[in-house]
Amino acid sequence: GLLNSCPAGVASCPASSCPCRSPLSPRLTLLESVLLGPRPTTSRMEFSELIRTGQAQAELLRGPEAPPLRGTLCVTGHHLLLSPGPQATPDLWLLLLRSVDSIEKRVAGDCGTITLRCKDLRVLQLDIEGVEATLNIARSIEALSSLESVITSFPFFYRPKGLRLGDAWHFHPPERYYKRVARETNAWRLSEANEDFSLCPSYPRAVIVPRAVNDDALALTARFRQGGRFPVLSYHHAPAEPAGWVRLPELSPCPQVLLRSSQPLIGPQKRRCAEDEALLRAVLAGSRPGARGFIVDTRSAQTAKQARMTGGGTEAKAAYPGWKRLHRPLERGRPLQESFVHLVEACGDLEQSMDHWLSRLAGCRWLAHVKEALSTACLAAQGMEREGACILVHGAEGTDSTLVVTSLAQLILDPSSRTMAGFQELVEREWIQAGHPFQLRCAHSAFSHARPKHEAPTFLLFLDCVWQLGRQFPLSLEFGEGMLLALFDHAYASPFGTFLCNSEQERCLCEVRTRTHSLWSGLNQLKEQRKLRNPLYVPNPLALWPSVEPQSLRLWQGLFLRWTRPPEPSEAAWEKVWQIVTDQEKTEGSQPTVSASELQL
Amino acid sequence: MEHIRTTKVEQVKLLDRFSSSNKALTGTLYLTATHLLFIDFHQKETWILHHHIASVEKLALTTSGCPLVIQCKNFRTVHFIVPRERDCHDIYNSLLQLSKQGFANDTNEILDRPMCLQITHFHQRTGKIVSSTKYEDLYAFSYNPKQNDSERLRGWQLIDLAEEYQRMGVPNSNWQLSDANRDYKICETYPKELYVPRIASKPIIVGSSKFRSKGRFPVLSYYHQSKEAAICRCSQPLSGFSARCLEDEHLLQAISKANPANHYMYVVDTRPRHRMQSWWATQKDIGRIIVRISSRIWNDEKIRESDEKKRLNAMANRAAGKGYENEDNYSNIRFQFVGIENIHVMRSSLQRLLEVSGTRGLSVGDLYSGLQSSGWLRHVQAVLGAAVVLAKAVTTESASVLVHCSDGWDRTSQVCSLGSLLLDPYYRTVRGFMVLIEKDWISFGHKFSESTGTVDFFQAHFQKFVLSGVRCGHLDGDPKEVSPVFTQFLECVWHLTEQFPQAFEFNEAFLLQIHEHIHSCQFGNFIGNCQKEREELKLKEKTYSLWPFLLEDRVKYLNPLYQPQAQEFAVLEPNTVSFNFKFWRNMYHQFDRTLHPRQSVFNIIANMNEQNKQLENDIKDLESEQTLLPGNDALRTIDSSNPADNRYSEYAEEFSKPDPAVVSLEYGVARMTC
């Protein structure tokens, strides 16, 4: 799998010979190279072979609200450009080819129309002069947007002004999170048994495991779990108890843990693994005396049982004393992708009747998935917070719905994960480093005609759940909808390297950290803050228990209807909120007006 | 109070409506002359006005006590468990009587029967007994907010419609105040002061009123000063055997001529065309039967069918008696149907909606397919769509519009008032909205006392005993007349506030508060069905007006994001695409605390806004002391949430469920409880 995703290979294209390396911004470089003619660089060849027609006159329609743009259309290695004239750089319109999800061409008379459906759910229409030009441009876009090579992708050439390479890559190493855990407990240690990714290719180099389990035992446990994903610590919850909070004495200071793994390889022979059992026993032993554990299996009991036929399965009761299994089936894979596709289809139809719209909304089941994901996360969080139990979450591979549950549970329980930095850390630790295969899952968004192979909007499901949480607790998240939208866009197509590849191992091989910019450094720039932050944020030390009733869940219009509804009134309102808050800060000085404690009343 | 046998019951449990684990608050239930009050052990009070009660139901006795379910007109549902059956029975009987006083006197015997079904049956069949309720028993006539007579009078004078018409710019050279309806002789359900085109003489008005259902001839509802276009309203024409009415045609001509900008005008029939046609069909059938009988042609039906058609149609039209205008008789007029369903469809639609949203353990799919099958959002979309048609005609074509439905007091009120709201920013202010309700709803005779009724939704579907009957359900009457027309209007306004968060001075809490008082009968504004009736009831002497009380609490109802000067909000052009319509949770689940967002953005912004203003003032006054304003409780703010409030907590019961296999072998699992 790895070689397929990096067909160019690491060695064949060393960083120094990459095309378009220039101190100037890539936008200018590309514009330059297109408008001034291609420069004779050798490695440019592989793109130029794919570009059949570099330029054409075209008109761009960007939806009902935006005015059409006319100008010269250019296809470059990574972008589609529309320039109204050679001197008018500011009006340049630019689209990353990688973000094209599907392309549709039509010709009539001596001109043609290309409809581009983007991964961020935008629909663009290009009216191009000349039939030949249309067909050539369509073919070029098709070929360039579906390149699978990682190291020739745009992030490897993107050199924005004001950012230094490698700047934010060291924000969130596993060591950093371990330091936090170590402050709270000494029952866990940071193991570097996976240093060379031999135990588990989808785990990072260092993982947090019970202190009582040595690296040899880990190696054996890894062999008993699918993909080597042995149980590791996902979150250590040491509740900071607010003043006046009364707890039952038997539940008092009890640190709780959340673990994740993949399914055990029980198989039809009902295999067991003493080390795996010992590991989970050690988890309970490291908690308070008499602690219980719950295994939240994100499959139905039936599916989990059937998985034995293919070598998988789920923990047998007898083998894991003290642990009890709960089955919470969450949708994943193709059904989830289809649900997403159907929802986006419904959202694109402006003419449909109310009945049709509502029946499609019900039929696509997207909100049902949101509800299930959110309530499973609440269940896990509740098990920790209220029952003082240890929770292990896994499904089959442990890279999809498992991560939805563990990351949401942290957001519910952990106030620090609700800050701007904390949320980035959460996404980095629980999604990127935890080995969610972004490249496979986000290869296509909702418009692709191709039969989905590995695509699934798991990460989007997580973002939607976070959005629902933010709607119900509008003051408790430091980031706003803009942040979630940015993450969605960048996960599917990005000039940054953060969401590239499927695992840490692949990122290492491709040298993503040293040769691309981190999204976090891009997002943390001052100019982005107003778009991403929630102006009303007030730290809330309590757990956020959302309502999961269907009446309380809403369609995420800001995402699914982003390009179809006129945004002005709501955007203007948001501006007004910012203005009020800024005024507030000005008049108020440093004194916080609405303290957290007041809010809790 | 003679009806109250038990005033206080202790150890009563209040169940969570959506919890399947019978989670409950324990407290004490008090019964007063006007309210039912529950105080739980946290000292939190739940007040239920007797007038708000739509139905009371006593369920079968359980081990924990006797369940009492109360459904309210403001969509509150409470489920009590009273430990002793005797107490429950007493409260049940008292509530039945108190919520509709006068009812019980002659029906005690029936009420003692425990079976709800029988009572429903009884009620349906003998609805007339119920109507012994008198207006004077309503809460408004006993409510005393400690105001003296002059304060009371000033309260009633707060909203002055004459002033409002002046604000619009009438009377003017084209429109005048008519005294034709001075003694309510021409139309009982219209107000006295009516504005009509200056060239429309009294005989024309009288003639037209005879041609229109209930005498509701075309009059001015809203005048758009800069476009010189008018929104007028009336009822349907009685185009029966006398298929034409020259006076009516003249009046319409006068309206179109009163608009110098555009002599072309629209007549908007708010009813769906297909319904009109199917209605025609039945009328034609009657006509056909008459023709057949008279000409004895039923023997050779097939032969005569075709040449018969023309004659039949003409005959049927005349036999019909009611209908829509014959386009041939009116020039310069474009007729348009906008397809809003009638009150009966609306009533059952909301019934269905509430039935769905009140289901325990509702799934997402069920909610949306329920929303779809109820058709409620479709109806809301149709109403708003009609208002958009109106506003467009006025703004883009400067054309005048005449709106009618059947009687011209339900759909017509909705469409005219929403149309004005889109056109005129004044109606989007707190005071302007009050004026709008006074003008298009109260003065033009929306049958509040009959119609905003408690939707008798519970009757049809749960076979519960419906205490309220009539449209607005203040008094008992024909349940067929109850309809959530006004609620629907408020919902349309809410949808507009959602689409234009900065265009309205008021917030959602304001709409909810008005809705509350439509049913509370605490103030006189919504009592009675028309101005004539209100005068006879001497409401201005005997009751208080709601508006001054709302204005007193104005701060609670302000939208902190309001931009009064913004040009882009001069005329609202809402987008009526299907996905802009959402289920109004804060209305239909107003009292289901756990379903709402736990923090309110509005409150915090409002507070900040107030503080900004305050601080600016403070700085001006060179005062350094900074004071926090009291919190705003207009919207629910629940910052601390609890897993026990939510449904996933019930999944968690599995946590404490003993697992037999494990218990016996390993740990003392059973010990572990939440």
Side-chain angles (χ1 to χ4, degrees):
Chain A
L2 179 65
L3 283 178
N4 289 342
S5 60
C6 306
V10 181
S12 69
C13 182
S16 53
S17 70
C18 277
C20 302
R21 284 211 95 172
S22 154
L24 293 171
S25 89
R27 206 170 99 143
L28 276 177
T29 319
L30 288 163
L31 181 67
E32 226 178 300
S33 61
V34 169
L35 296 181
L36 305 176
R39 280 180 298 181
T41 49
T42 44
S43 40
R44 174 153 276 281
M45 282 306 291
E46 55 183 293
F47 292 142
S48 57
E49 276 167 21
L50 298 170
I51 302 173
R52 288 158 185 262
T53 299
Q55 296 191 8
Q57 290 301 308
E59 186 174 59
L60 170 75
L61 301 166
R62 291 170 294 175
E65 305 298 323
L69 276 183
R70 277 198 73 81
T72 312
L73 183 76
C74 318
V75 186
T76 75
H78 292 293
H79 286 94
L80 194 63
L81 311 167
L82 190 85
S83 160
Q87 78 291 345
T89 322
D91 297 315
L92 182 79
W93 175 86
L94 190 87
L95 178 76
L96 194 62
L97 284 174
R98 181 83 199 148
S99 66
V100 173
D101 202 28
S102 85
I103 176 165
E104 200 181 290
K105 49 186 186 284
R106 261 197 332 271
V107 285
D110 58 351
C111 54
T113 301
I114 294 179
T115 307
L116 297 176
R117 292 192 165 77
C118 302
K119 289 177 182 164
D120 60 4
L121 311 181
R122 223 176 342 167
V123 179
L124 303 163
Q125 190 185 319
L126 284 163
D127 294 325
I128 298 169
E129 288 171 19
V131 173
E132 194 62 22
T134 308
L135 296 176
N136 281 336
I137 284 178
R139 258 178 244 141
S140 312
I141 296 174
E142 224 158 344
L144 288 164
S145 63
S146 56
L147 285 179
E148 286 198 349
S149 151
V150 172
I151 55 158
T152 56
S153 65
F154 184 62
F156 285 84
F157 309 114
Y158 180 54
R159 296 296 174 261
K161 267 184 200 161
L163 295 184
R164 274 187 317 151
L165 216 51
D167 251 0
W169 280 116
H170 304 295
F171 276 11
H172 316 290
E175 293 79 12
R176 199 181 150 103
Y177 185 65
Y178 176 68
K179 268 185 198 149
R180 197 182 129 188
V181 174
R183 275 201 300 274
E184 293 158 0
T185 172
N186 64 354
W188 297 81
R189 68 183 184 95
L190 190 71
S191 163
E192 295 187 352
N194 199 37
E195 178 68 41
D196 53 357
F197 304 109
S198 59
L199 258 53
C200 170
S202 61
Y203 272 169
R205 292 176 191 278
V207 288
I208 305 170
V209 294
R211 190 168 290 283
V213 179
N214 63 27
D215 286 356
D216 297 338
L218 287 181
L220 291 167
T221 309
R223 272 196 256 154
F224 183 63
R225 294 274 172 178
Q226 182 172 358
R229 295 176 69 92
F230 52 89
V232 294
L233 182 81
S234 161
Y235 172 56
H236 185 266
H237 181 57
E241 292 178 18
W245 189 262
V246 187
R247 242 170 209 289
L248 298 171
E250 69 265 26
L251 289 178
S252 66
C254 56
Q256 301 108 26
V257 291
L258 181 65
L259 299 108
R260 53 179 158 74
S261 69
S262 62
Q263 65 178 346
L265 300 174
I266 309 273
Q269 288 88 34
K270 300 196 180 177
R271 287 175 54 210
R272 288 177 63 166
C273 170
E275 288 75 14
D276 191 73
E277 290 161 19
L279 192 153
L280 289 189
R281 217 166 28 240
V283 169
L284 290 187
S287 188
R288 70 189 164 85
R292 281 184 47 155
F294 289 97
I295 297 169
V296 178
D297 193 324
T298 62
R299 303 162 294 177
S300 68
Q302 181 73 11
T303 319
K305 205 172 170 190
Q306 277 168 359
R308 288 229 310 267
M309 302 313 294
T310 51
T314 192
E315 289 82 355
K317 271 180 206 162
Y320 297 88
W323 290 86
K324 183 171 163 29
R325 240 177 32 235
L326 301 170
H327 290 277
R328 296 291 144 212
L330 297 185
E331 206 58 88
R332 69 198 83 214
R334 189 171 298 168
L336 193 62
Q337 176 72 9
E338 275 162 10
S339 166
F340 177 42
V341 169
H342 288 151
L343 176 58
V344 169
E345 241 169 50
C347 289
D349 185 355
L350 290 166
E351 303 300 317
Q352 66 198 325
S353 71
M354 184 65 81
D355 284 358
H356 197 201
W357 161 244
L358 291 172
S359 74
R360 286 169 95 174
L361 201 54
C364 78
R365 298 191 30 82
W366 179 262
L367 281 170
H369 302 323
V370 169
K371 177 181 153 75
E372 289 313 317
L374 211 48
S375 38
T376 308
C378 288
L379 176 85
Q382 193 181 3
M384 293 170 71
E385 223 251 347
R386 298 279 146 148
E387 313 280 323
C390 303
I391 310 278
L392 168 65
V393 186
H394 72 70
E397 290 156 329
T399 54
D400 291 282
S401 46
T402 304
L403 303 182
V404 175
V405 175
T406 57
S407 52
L408 282 175
Q410 291 178 53
L411 211 57
I412 290 165
L413 291 177
D414 182 8
S416 70
S417 72
R418 300 174 209 142
T419 63
M420 199 74 177
F423 187 62
Q424 292 176 9
E425 194 260 354
L426 182 74
V427 171
E428 178 77 32
R429 185 164 49 83
E430 282 299 290
W431 286 88
I432 296 166
Q433 293 178 17
H436 176 66
F438 277 99
Q439 200 179 342
L440 292 173
R441 297 286 180 263
C442 302
H444 282 290
S445 163
F447 291 123
S448 171
H449 302 303
R451 211 172 135 78
K453 290 191 289 265
H454 303 288
E455 290 84 355
T458 320
F459 187 59
L460 172 61
L461 182 66
F462 161 70
L463 294 177
D464 198 333
C465 292
V466 177
W467 181 81
Q468 305 283 352
L469 207 58
R471 250 187 58 85
Q472 295 195 22
F473 297 88
L475 313 180
S476 299
L477 303 182
E478 195 183 15
F479 49 92
E481 186 179 46
M483 177 73 175
L484 302 174
L485 290 175
L487 288 179
F488 168 72
D489 293 348
H490 286 284
Y492 277 87
S494 170
F496 295 98
T498 298
F499 290 109
L500 288 180
C501 301
N502 292 309
S503 65
E504 283 298 283
Q505 187 185 24
E506 289 183 20
R507 276 183 280 272
C508 266
L509 281 172
C510 297
E511 299 177 62
V512 168
R513 301 212 154 177
T514 48
R515 291 172 54 197
T516 70
H517 283 281
S518 160
L519 173 64
W520 310 129
S521 61
L523 292 184
N524 289 337
Q525 293 175 94
L526 205 60
K527 58 176 184 186
E528 304 284 337
Q529 296 308 299
R530 212 175 167 104
K531 216 168 62 197
L532 305 176
R533 268 176 200 273
N534 173 11
L536 300 170
Y537 172 66
V538 179
N540 180 352
L542 301 177
L544 309 181
W545 301 109
S547 162
V548 293
E549 293 293 337
Q551 293 98 323
S552 307
L553 302 177
R554 277 267 168 93
L555 176 71
W556 186 6
Q557 296 212 345
L559 183 110
F560 293 106
L561 300 172
R562 183 161 35 150
W563 312 106
T564 36
R565 60 162 196 187
E568 290 86 9
S570 53
E571 264 174 21
W574 198 237
E575 260 316 298
K576 172 87 178 172
V577 172
W578 265 108
Q579 186 203 321
I580 292 170
V581 173
T582 330
D583 286 358
Q584 163 89 5
E585 278 159 8
K586 258 186 248 153
T587 47
E588 194 64 354
S590 58
Q591 187 197 338
T593 28
V594 192
S595 68
S597 58
E598 251 171 86
L599 278 174
Q600 308 321 320
L601 292 178
Chain B
M1 286 296 291
E2 51 185 315
H3 303 306
I4 301 177
R5 277 173 238 167
T6 309
T7 56
K8 180 178 172 188
V9 186
E10 283 173 355
Q11 291 298 309
V12 172
K13 285 196 184 113
L14 174 61
L15 293 192
D16 184 321
R17 181 177 171 196
F18 289 101
S19 158
S20 55
S21 63
N22 286 353
K23 193 163 59 69
L25 287 168
T26 310
T28 310
L29 195 63
Y30 298 90
L31 197 58
T32 75
T34 54
H35 289 86
L36 183 68
L37 169 62
F38 179 77
I39 302 181
D40 66 25
F41 63 95
H42 298 306
Q43 298 302 310
K44 207 182 134 276
E45 297 171 3
T46 306
W47 291 82
I48 296 168
L49 187 66
H50 296 327
H51 283 307
H52 270 146
I53 295 176
S55 79
V56 192
E57 189 188 6
K58 218 170 68 177
L59 304 181
L61 194 67
T62 65
T63 46
S64 49
C66 188
L68 189 68
V69 179
I70 300 172
Q71 314 257 23
C72 298
K73 299 175 190 178
N74 53 5
F75 309 115
R76 185 202 282 272
T77 302
V78 283
H79 193 152
F80 289 118
I81 296 201
V82 184
R84 284 173 48 218
E85 206 208 340
R86 187 66 232 162
D87 291 335
C88 184
H89 189 73
D90 284 349
I91 289 179
Y92 173 73
N93 280 345
S94 303
L95 286 179
L96 283 185
Q97 293 160 33
L98 289 165
S99 57
K100 279 290 168 257
Q101 291 193 352
F103 167 74
N105 295 337
D106 28 15
T107 53
N108 264 334
E109 176 216 322
I110 310 293
L111 289 175
D112 282 336
R113 289 192 205 164
M115 288 290 291
C116 286
L117 261 172
Q118 289 174 5
I119 297 172
T120 311
H121 186 223
F122 164 79
H123 172 67
Q124 282 170 337
R125 292 194 38 200
T126 59
K128 289 236 166 78
I129 291 181
V130 182
S131 58
S132 59
T133 315
K134 296 189 295 288
Y135 270 120
E136 281 71 15
D137 290 331
L138 294 175
Y139 184 32
F141 292 91
S142 56
Y143 174 65
N144 184 2
K146 301 202 173 59
Q147 278 191 347
N148 61 34
D149 286 354
S150 71
E151 279 171 318
R152 182 209 304 252
L153 188 64
R154 244 179 293 137
W156 279 111
Q157 286 164 345
L158 194 70
I159 304 294
D160 179 2
L161 288 184
E163 212 172 80
E164 166 58 13
Y165 283 102
Q166 247 167 35
R167 189 195 66 85
M168 289 183 209
V170 288
N172 59 23
S173 55
N174 291 315
W175 292 88
Q176 65 173 356
L177 177 64
S178 161
D179 60 354
N181 200 35
R182 202 174 28 202
D183 309 313
Y184 302 109
K185 282 217 175 101
I186 298 181
C187 174
E188 284 202 338
T189 56
Y190 267 172
K192 279 181 193 165
E193 297 81 21
L194 292 168
Y195 292 82
V196 294
R198 199 167 278 278
I199 54 169
S201 63
K202 195 167 175 183
I204 285 182
I205 291 171
V206 174
S208 168
S209 75
K210 289 190 176 135
F211 180 64
R212 295 275 169 182
S213 170
K214 310 268 192 322
R216 295 170 70 91
F217 60 97
V219 294
L220 183 77
S221 161
Y222 176 71
Y223 181 72
H224 195 284
Q225 209 161 4
S226 62
K227 299 276 180 193
E228 298 179 281
I231 295 178
C232 299
R233 54 186 292 169
C234 62
S235 62
Q236 66 183 351
L238 301 169
S239 48
F241 282 100
S242 55
R244 287 186 72 163
C245 170
L246 288 175
E247 289 91 341
D248 192 64
E249 289 162 28
H250 273 136
L251 186 53
L252 262 63
Q253 284 306 321
I255 292 173
S256 74
K257 279 183 190 147
N259 180 351
N262 189 348
H263 283 320
Y264 206 85
M265 78 179 268
Y266 284 92
V267 172
V268 173
D269 191 327
T270 55
R271 297 167 294 186
R273 190 184 270 277
H274 70 89
R275 249 174 216 282
M276 289 310 296
Q277 279 163 347
S278 61
W279 179 83
W280 269 132
T282 58
Q283 297 300 322
K284 277 176 189 163
D285 286 342
I286 297 168
R288 185 170 299 195
I289 291 161
I290 297 168
V291 173
R292 279 181 192 170
I293 292 169
S294 61
S295 60
R296 299 183 182 199
I297 53 168
W298 60 79
N299 290 328
D300 45 359
E301 193 172 330
K302 274 175 192 162
I303 305 160
R304 307 293 297 268
E305 190 78 341
S306 57
D307 48 292
E308 193 191 335
K309 232 163 207 165
K310 279 181 197 162
R311 223 150 37 94
L312 282 175
N313 279 349
M315 191 70 185
N317 283 349
R318 275 186 243 147
K322 288 178 176 181
Y324 48 90
E325 296 84 351
N326 185 343
E327 300 194 24
D328 303 339
N329 301 337
Y330 298 87
S331 55
N332 282 339
I333 288 176
R334 182 177 295 161
F335 290 87
Q336 205 163 349
F337 288 87
V338 288
I340 304 172
E341 300 287 353
N342 63 31
I343 56 166
H344 312 296
V345 174
M346 297 303 184
R347 182 180 53 245
S348 51
S349 170
L350 187 61
Q351 274 172 13
R352 172 87 187 106
L353 179 80
L354 293 168
E355 191 187 314
V356 169
S357 71
T359 314
R360 271 185 192 184
L362 185 68
S363 78
V364 176
D366 290 345
L367 175 67
Y368 284 97
S369 42
L371 273 178
Q372 182 206 340
S373 67
S374 76
W376 181 253
L377 288 179
R378 192 181 69 228
H379 300 317
V380 171
Q381 185 186 34
V383 174
L384 206 52
V388 171
V389 167
L390 224 66
K392 270 208 183 117
V394 172
T395 50
T396 63
E397 297 178 53
S398 302
S400 292
V401 188
L402 174 66
V403 184
H404 75 75
C405 49
S406 304
D407 289 325
W409 51 46
D410 293 316
R411 287 170 272 194
T412 304
S413 292
Q414 287 180 325
V415 174
C416 287
S417 55
L418 284 170
S420 321
L421 192 77
L422 295 179
L423 289 168
D424 195 334
Y426 175 66
Y427 295 128
R428 295 174 227 137
T429 62
V430 168
R431 184 186 267 266
F433 193 65
M434 297 171 178
V435 169
L436 186 68
I437 292 174
E438 280 284 345
K439 173 171 75 78
D440 274 321
W441 292 87
I442 297 175
S443 86
F444 278 112
H446 175 69
K447 296 163 99 181
F448 276 105
S449 282
E450 233 163 65
S451 120
T452 28
T454 49
V455 192
D456 59 339
F457 30 85
F458 309 109
Q459 183 173 18
H461 295 277
F462 301 117
Q463 293 193 307
K464 283 175 190 164
F465 181 54
V466 176
L467 288 157
S468 68
V470 248
R471 247 204 248 180
C472 197
H474 297 162
L475 299 168
D476 288 305
D478 185 358
K480 290 277 182 293
E481 288 296 302
V482 181
S483 189
V485 174
F486 191 77
T487 307
Q488 196 170 45
F489 160 71
L490 291 179
E491 181 163 339
C492 289
V493 177
W494 174 75
H495 272 108
L496 290 173
T497 64
E498 286 282 291
Q499 255 192 61
F500 302 97
Q502 294 185 277
F504 289 82
E505 191 190 18
F506 51 84
N507 59 21
E508 188 180 33
F510 185 59
L511 299 176
L512 294 176
Q513 192 65 23
I514 291 174
H515 185 259
E516 181 90 1
H517 285 296
I518 296 293
H519 300 286
S520 72
C521 300
Q522 189 173 353
F523 297 96
N525 305 61
F526 304 109
I527 293 174
N529 289 322
C530 58
Q531 204 162 310
K532 180 172 181 241
E533 202 172 288
R534 291 186 187 103
E535 275 171 22
E536 283 161 5
L537 288 167
K538 296 194 167 56
L539 286 178
K540 293 194 178 179
E541 291 145 55
K542 292 179 174 168
T543 69
Y544 295 85
S545 168
L546 166 67
W547 309 126
F549 292 89
L550 289 184
L551 279 179
E552 208 168 275
D553 284 343
R554 201 163 172 274
V555 183
K556 269 192 201 173
Y557 306 124
L558 291 183
N559 169 13
L561 299 178
Y562 179 50
Q563 289 283 63
Q565 259 72 50
Q567 264 312 301
E568 66 262 38
F569 303 135
V571 174
L572 298 185
E573 292 171 31
N575 187 340
T576 52
V577 175
S578 300
F579 36 63
N580 279 329
F581 294 87
K582 295 168 281 194
F583 174 68
W584 191 6
R585 188 189 55 226
N586 284 354
M587 171 65 95
Y588 303 111
H589 288 294
Q590 207 182 143
F591 300 96
D592 300 313
R593 196 179 67 93
T594 56
L595 297 188
H596 297 289
R598 308 302 211 263
Q599 295 171 320
S600 158
V601 172
F602 262 161
N603 290 351
I604 202 120
I605 302 175
N607 274 347
M608 284 182 178
N609 241 350
E610 278 306 311
Q611 284 170 29
N612 286 350
K613 275 183 214 149
Q614 174 119 0
L615 287 166
E616 273 161 30
N617 291 339
D618 286 353
I619 291 162
K620 272 179 206 152
D621 301 345
L622 294 170
E623 284 172 15
S624 56
E625 207 177 346
Q626 297 171 352
T627 41
L628 263 178
L629 288 179
N632 180 344
D633 61 348
L635 281 175
R636 288 145 299 278
T637 306
I638 310 157
D639 286 288
S640 63
S641 56
N642 192 318
D645 287 343
N646 298 298
R647 276 251 313 278
Y648 44 80
S649 63
E650 279 124 35
Y651 302 151
E653 279 160 22
E654 296 191 23
F655 279 137
S656 28
K657 229 186 261 169
D659 187 339
V662 183
V663 171
S664 52
L665 289 172
E666 342 283 347
Y667 298 101
V669 184
R671 227 176 30 140
M672 214 204 75
T673 48
C674 183

